Amino acid sequence: MKSMIGIDKCIYMEHITFSNGDKVCPIGQGTWNMGRNPLCEKSEANALLTGIDLGMNMIDTAEMYGNEKFIGKVIKSCRDKVFLVSKVHPDNADYQGTIKACEESLRRLGTDAIDLYLLHWRSKYPISETVEAMCRLQRDGKIRLWGVSNLDVDDMELIDDIPNGCSCDANQVLYNLQERGVEYDLIPYAQQRDIPVIAYSPVGEGKLLRHLVLRTIAEKHNATPAQIALSWIIRNPGVMAIPKAGSAEHVKENFGSVSITLDAEDMELLDISFPAPQHKIQLAGW
Ligand code: NAP
């Protein structure tokens, strides 16, 4: 068990705890679009290593991102400090395909085991078949935990009903101030079952950061819009965020969000500009 490894510098905040006792910092690191442009690789590697050093130990990749080799190379010297997430592409998510995809990811990542392996989005294969493969991979020690991404509550219920299915340990979904639909049912569903929720695109791919209300609240806290957007996400128990940042400066800034507490006035202002859902909204994203 890796338990607290890698997050020693993250001690003053609430961690996200998985069912095997592994703990991660509520701000992790996304990697979509990283490792594509050789001219950016040095800065991207430096960004990821800066984050790991700060204790932002979750690194999120996927077979679809085409960057697992790059990620494997970056984390080679500090693998023990990283909680590594990868994902199986839905087209590969039948029983044999999931096992093969995972083995190929392990080879590209240069590691013996993936800490959390996700089904990237709902596939054409029965979910029970993917779950069976996930359980097999877990028994064989190739993955430590498994979970899903972009699955709404109805699919989560299907997984819950699988007889002898080992437990689903995470759901990675689109969640930010402009995409609050998951607050209505998915986050409460996950919280009741202690399933961590991982918010992707937490700063709206950067576009959210120009919003006036975020800039106003940021000024009040002597912070930045990104820090406000991220602290707003991680205020929810059991919910974490994985911003992608291509520079060490952005990574450090994002880490700063863990020490910001939004007050009632901030929350009210944010609720006016970005209203909470009043009814079920179909999960956005993939
Ligand atoms: P995001 O993290 O919301 O936004 C990334 C963009 O925001 C980048 O352009 C980045 O610029 C900028 N940014 C980050 N921190 C900043 C800061 N402090 N100040 C100003 N700009 C900042 O969007 P995302 O990449 O879509 O989502 C994050 C991660 O979630 C992905 O990388 C991926 O790992 C995962 N994801 C998963 C799914 C899924 O289906 N499961 C889908 C989408 C994403 P720089 O690069 O210049 O820092």
Side-chain angles (χ1 to χ4, degrees), residues 32 60 65 149-150 172 201 203 205 242 244 246 250 254 286:
W32 170 237
D60 178 74
Y65 298 176
S149 177
N150 299 298
Q172 186 180 116
S201 304
V203 296
E205 299 175 335
I242 48 164
K244 175 258 170 186
H250 279 173
N254 294 344
W286 288 90

Side-chain angles (χ1 to χ4, degrees), residues 68-84:
E68 288 177 315
K69 260 192 172 165
F70 168 74
I71 299 297
K73 226 165 71 184
V74 173
I75 64 170
K76 196 170 177 202
S77 60
C78 53
R79 175 66 188 91
D80 58 332
K81 290 194 161 74
V82 171
F83 183 95
L84 187 58

Side-chain angles (χ1 to χ4, degrees), residues 135-155:
C135 298
R136 176 65 197 266
L137 287 166
Q138 202 171 16
R139 279 198 305 276
D140 291 349
K142 292 177 179 162
I143 63 175
R144 295 204 168 87
L145 301 163
W146 68 271
V148 295
S149 177
N150 299 298
L151 259 56
D152 213 336
V153 172
D154 50 351
D155 282 329

Side-chain angles (χ1 to χ4, degrees), residues 29-34 44 59-62 64-65 87 118-121 148-150 172-174 176 198-207 209 224-227 230 241-254 285-286:
Q29 303 191 76
T31 69
W32 170 237
N33 272 329
M34 280 189 179
E44 289 167 349
I59 305 284
D60 178 74
T61 182
M64 194 191 89
Y65 298 176
K87 315 181 192 82
L118 308 177
L119 169 63
H120 207 150
W121 64 90
V148 295
S149 177
N150 299 298
Q172 186 180 116
V173 292
L174 177 64
N176 61 45
I198 305 169
Y200 73 71
S201 304
V203 296
E205 299 175 335
K207 297 186 278 279
L209 306 180
T224 67
Q227 290 174 332
L230 294 170
I242 48 164
K244 175 258 170 186
S247 67
E249 288 66 36
H250 279 173
V251 167
K252 286 183 207 158
E253 187 181 321
N254 294 344
W286 288 90

